[in-house]
Amino acid sequence: MQTAFPSSFSRTKIPAYIYAVVFSSLCIVWGLLWDIMWHMSIGRDGLFAPPHLLMYVGAVVAGAFSGFKILQLTFAKMNAERASSVRFWGVFYGSLGAMYCVWGALTMLTSAPFDEWWHNTYGLDVQILTPPHTVLLIGMMTVQFGAMIGVLALQNRFSNTLTSSPSTDVQSHERQGKRLKIMFTIAAGLLLSILFTMLAEKMGPWTSHHSSAYITMGIALPFYLLAVGRASSLRYPITITAAAYMLAMLIPSWILPFFPATPRLGPVLNPVTHYQAFLFPLLLVIPGFVLDKLLHRFGNGKLNDWLLAALTGTVFILVITPVQWYFGGFLHTSPYAQNGFFLSNSMSYSNDPTWPYHHTFHPHWLQSTPEFLKGIGIAILCAILSARVGLLWGNWMKRVQR
């Protein structure tokens, strides 16, 4: 998506709506995690429960700032930024990121009354992916993808201007560009947090000794991590994205258990008195660092993308498997993990504390060595295909400038 930019672009600062949509993405992640912990600790919530309000704030801020930007470009015909915008519905002009944010915000707000009706009809959710939550998650991820694309397009345009305009204030421009690069990896880490939350039931510590968890990781993670790695111009984008994801997941779970919470919906099998934390995230910084190193060595056309996908997909599974096997086992079984840092002392009020498999692997989640190795082989094949899709997506993102 190459385009010509006005000469004044080099003097343009990062627009406010870019900061707004990244902030919205953070509100959405923390609102969702708070909502999960609310369900674990209190139970039934209302339409305007505090976690929901935080998510709505994210939707409204993203929709309002992005919508204003679209209307500004649509009606201000002499606006120089209009040349680098996308026309849609034959009327409106705006960036791809702004359009995704508006659509995602509308989807999120539409899901709210649907979720209220669902609770009134069927009671408390027992799964994350109920129909209204699925609609909500689609809206959330659309807003977050819009935040990513909005930052990425501006990053790519800044880079294009720096190389094409010798009159650019290089020092100031490089500071803005570096800020955009970091904001992109933060936005990517926040979207990764939602992706993990959607699949947490299949990748939790209790699944770490079963190959199905690594098949899920092989399908869901390489395409995303490699797309980010290829699209970003930072030296260690996958590592930073993984670190942002881990912090985004951990901060609410480290803070909220200090606050009191009382169950309001039976049966109360575990009478908790404080918020119960969510899961400790996957240690993606380790395979993320390895993937960054592989992209340094074999990326940028040094290796055919199919061969690069085969290498990165295979290495991802070979690294994440021992990391999560041992760390997941530690989280699930070790008494040293049952604290406020590693979060393994968390237990929903609806869980029976006398169940024997809270801190021991259930036989369902254990496999023989041949079965496990067969599953890891399948995970490697899935990861290779996932990595190839990720590289293709990353190529597209590198060209986004609108």
Side-chain angles (χ1 to χ4, degrees), residues 68-137:
F68 176 78
K69 190 68 176 179
I70 290 172
L71 293 176
Q72 185 184 49
L73 292 178
T74 299
F75 293 107
K77 296 183 179 180
M78 301 304 294
N79 192 318
E81 292 183 52
R82 189 166 177 168
S84 60
S85 64
V86 176
R87 188 180 182 184
F88 61 103
W89 293 348
V91 177
F92 297 102
Y93 289 83
S95 67
L96 281 174
M99 289 189 291
Y100 279 118
C101 285
V102 169
W103 293 332
L106 291 174
T107 303
M108 285 182 63
L109 296 175
T110 300
S111 73
F114 183 25
D115 188 51
E116 181 74 5
W117 171 83
W118 183 272
H119 281 306
N120 291 335
T121 305
Y122 298 105
L124 182 66
D125 300 321
V126 295
Q127 293 180 326
I128 292 176
L129 294 180
T130 61
H133 286 177
T134 301
V135 174
L136 177 63
L137 285 167

Side-chain angles (χ1 to χ4, degrees), residues 321-338:
T321 299
V323 168
Q324 284 304 133
W325 171 283
Y326 289 107
F327 187 64
F330 166 75
L331 290 176
H332 192 57
T333 64
S334 174
Y336 296 106
Q338 297 173 33

Side-chain angles (χ1 to χ4, degrees), residues 221-241:
L221 298 177
F223 94 93
Y224 186 82
L225 296 176
L226 287 167
V228 170
R230 174 152 284 186
S232 174
S233 51
L234 283 176
R235 183 158 178 79
Y236 292 97
I238 302 176
T239 307
I240 297 172
T241 296

Side-chain angles (χ1 to χ4, degrees), residues 95-387:
S95 67
L96 281 174
M99 289 189 291
Y100 279 118
C101 285
V102 169
W103 293 332
L106 291 174
T107 303
M108 285 182 63
L109 296 175
T110 300
S111 73
F114 183 25
D115 188 51
E116 181 74 5
W117 171 83
W118 183 272
H119 281 306
N120 291 335
T121 305
Y122 298 105
L124 182 66
D125 300 321
V126 295
Q127 293 180 326
I128 292 176
L129 294 180
T130 61
H133 286 177
T134 301
V135 174
L136 177 63
L137 285 167
I138 290 172
M140 289 176 173
M141 296 180 76
T142 303
V143 170
Q144 293 184 298
F145 182 66
M148 275 182 61
I149 293 300
V151 177
L152 181 65
L154 201 57
Q155 170 197 285
N156 293 344
R157 284 153 58 185
F158 263 64
S159 299
N160 181 75
T161 307
L162 184 61
T163 57
S164 63
S165 178
S167 61
T168 300
D169 182 349
V170 175
Q171 189 175 21
S172 174
H173 204 88
E174 286 182 344
R175 284 198 301 268
Q176 299 277 28
K178 185 64 175 290
R179 190 177 304 170
L180 283 168
K181 293 172 187 178
I182 294 173
M183 287 175 65
F184 171 69
T185 54
I186 291 173
L190 293 172
L191 179 53
L192 181 58
S193 301
I194 297 293
L195 181 62
F196 170 77
T197 302
M198 288 176 58
L199 300 173
E201 293 170 345
K202 299 182 182 297
M203 299 189 299
W206 58 90
T207 70
S208 60
H209 287 187
H210 197 281
S211 62
S212 64
Y214 303 98
I215 294 173
T216 302
M217 294 177 202
I219 295 171
L221 298 177
F223 94 93
Y224 186 82
L225 296 176
L226 287 167
V228 170
R230 174 152 284 186
S232 174
S233 51
L234 283 176
R235 183 158 178 79
Y236 292 97
I238 302 176
T239 307
I240 297 172
T241 296
Y245 140 79
M246 292 188 67
L247 284 175
M249 295 293 301
L250 285 169
I251 288 173
S253 287
W254 283 339
I255 293 176
L256 280 177
F258 287 103
F259 292 87
T262 304
R264 297 178 184 172
L265 186 67
V268 179
L269 301 179
N270 179 34
V272 302
T273 58
H274 292 76
Y275 273 101
Q276 299 300 292
F278 193 47
L279 303 176
F280 200 98
L282 301 176
L283 287 180
L284 289 181
V285 291
I286 298 175
F289 178 76
V290 175
L291 291 179
D292 277 329
K293 285 295 187 181
L294 290 176
L295 290 180
H296 295 165
R297 178 66 179 84
F298 300 104
N300 299 319
K302 297 175 184 176
L303 201 63
N304 174 275
D305 275 359
W306 273 109
L307 294 177
L308 184 59
L311 175 64
T312 53
T314 301
V315 170
F316 174 79
I317 293 298
L318 293 181
V319 173
I320 195 67
T321 299
V323 168
Q324 284 304 133
W325 171 283
Y326 289 107
F327 187 64
F330 166 75
L331 290 176
H332 192 57
T333 64
S334 174
Y336 296 106
Q338 297 173 33
N339 52 57
F341 184 84
F342 290 111
L343 312 177
S344 294
N345 58 348
S346 175
M347 189 185 306
S348 171
Y349 74 85
S350 61
N351 288 348
D352 183 357
T354 64
W355 192 56
Y357 297 108
H358 280 302
H359 300 294
T360 304
F361 283 100
H362 193 283
H364 171 76
W365 293 112
L366 296 173
Q367 289 178 299
S368 66
T369 300
E371 289 177 328
F372 183 81
L373 292 177
K374 178 183 176 181
I376 294 302
I378 295 171
I380 289 174
L381 291 176
C382 292
I384 291 171
L385 294 175
S386 178

